[in-house]
Amino acid sequence: DADVTQTPRNRITKTGKRIMLECSQTKGHDRMYWYRQDPGLGLRLIYYSFDVKDINKGEISDGYSVSRQAQAKFSLSLESAIPNQTALYFCATSDYRSPGANVLTFGAGSRLTVL
Amino acid sequence: AQSVTQPDIHITVSEGASLELRCNYSYGATPYLFWYVQSPGQGLQLLLKYFSGDTLVQGIKGFEAEFKRSQSSFNLRKPSVHWSDAAEYFCAVVQYNFNKFYFGSGTKLNVKP
């Protein structure tokens, strides 16, 4: 099983619908992140969480919300999806307890299309 | 604010040729630097990282990168490219307290047979 699992992997929805992307991890990492990837723009940070009670906005949080249900679970919601939220979404984790090993571990991505 | 620039959007090299992908960053202190690779339909995989010490770092799949403080650069190199190296490559920098990672816009590598 993958260390960081994202569901669904692909989703097509319509404008105005509520969508939830889920992420779970088995690495025991404390920090979790949601990124959005658009062609030519690289990865942009939407939200990040350092623990269950600590959630922070990233560069492009408007139109998104998150929930850290447990240390291992971090969900991203689009309350009312719009076409310009069509993108590839990545969940990632990192372990702050070991600075020398502090890297991002990514899930396989969730491709969202909003019609 | 931190920023990461990858000036080359697309690069095409012949199989067996050498490769250099450029990365420049803007950051006031010594950064922590990374290169990630994304194969088609896949997530991002860490190629290598620089935190401190030797400025030439070795990574997986035969890649290396050199940190040059005077040029604010962290270029990725490989002496001989294989067809399986065709992918998109991302340079990233992280704040000193590991709060946020900033990514470049990526460089797509095509490998000609």
Side-chain angles (χ1 to χ4, degrees):
Chain A
D1 288 341
D3 293 327
V4 182
T5 302
Q6 292 183 232
T7 56
R9 293 291 314 280
N10 287 284
R11 181 72 182 270
I12 300 173
T13 191
K14 294 183 179 179
T15 298
K17 294 291 187 181
R18 184 178 187 273
I19 293 296
M20 179 181 285
L21 305 180
E22 297 185 327
C23 177
S24 63
Q25 54 122 341
T26 58
K27 295 187 73 69
H29 287 173
D30 50 354
R31 299 186 169 188
M32 298 186 75
Y33 307 77
W34 275 105
Y35 283 90
R36 168 179 172 160
Q37 183 182 18
D38 298 278
L41 296 179
L43 280 77
R44 293 179 292 167
L45 182 62
I46 306 173
Y47 271 95
Y48 60 105
S49 169
F50 289 168
D51 64 38
V52 175
K53 296 181 180 179
D54 182 22
I55 292 179
N56 305 277
K57 292 183 177 181
E59 306 168 69
I60 55 164
S61 59
D62 288 348
Y64 301 95
S65 62
V66 291
S67 173
R68 186 84 182 264
Q69 302 95 323
Q71 189 204 28
K73 295 184 183 291
F74 192 37
S75 300
L76 176 72
S77 293
L78 287 68
E79 297 300 325
S80 180
I82 56 177
N84 76 1
Q85 292 177 312
T86 293
L88 183 58
Y89 291 85
F90 284 105
C91 176
T93 71
S94 70
D95 183 6
Y96 183 63
R97 292 167 295 176
S98 177
N102 194 291
V103 298
L104 288 175
T105 300
F106 284 88
S110 295
R111 184 167 296 281
L112 176 65
T113 302
V114 184
L115 302 176
Chain B
Q2 297 186 67
S3 68
V4 180
T5 302
Q6 293 180 244
D8 303 306
I9 299 173
H10 287 98
I11 283 184
T12 299
V13 299
S14 298
E15 190 168 16
S18 63
L19 171 70
E20 183 169 29
L21 302 183
R22 296 181 291 166
C23 173
N24 293 96
Y25 63 90
S26 170
Y27 185 54
T30 300
Y32 299 107
L33 296 156
F34 307 81
W35 275 99
Y36 283 85
V37 59
Q38 183 183 24
S39 298
Q42 303 295 316
L44 279 77
Q45 180 184 20
L46 179 71
L47 279 178
L48 48 77
K49 63 188 179 188
Y50 172 78
F51 284 175
S52 64
D54 192 346
T55 56
L56 183 64
V57 294
Q58 303 296 321
I60 62 171
K61 305 184 181 187
F63 285 92
E64 67 179 25
E66 185 171 14
F67 169 58
K68 292 186 177 180
R69 185 190 304 275
S70 61
Q71 298 177 20
S72 297
S73 68
F74 188 57
N75 293 348
L76 181 71
R77 301 194 294 248
K78 187 169 185 178
S80 177
V81 170
H82 188 262
W83 64 266
S84 61
D85 294 324
E88 190 159 17
Y89 292 81
F90 293 93
C91 182
V93 61
V94 66
Q95 286 181 307
Y96 71 96
N97 58 353
F98 296 104
N99 278 357
K100 299 179 187 178
F101 292 73
Y102 294 89
F103 286 82
S105 56
T107 298
K108 277 194 177 174
L109 173 65
N110 295 318
V111 180
K112 291 191 301 185

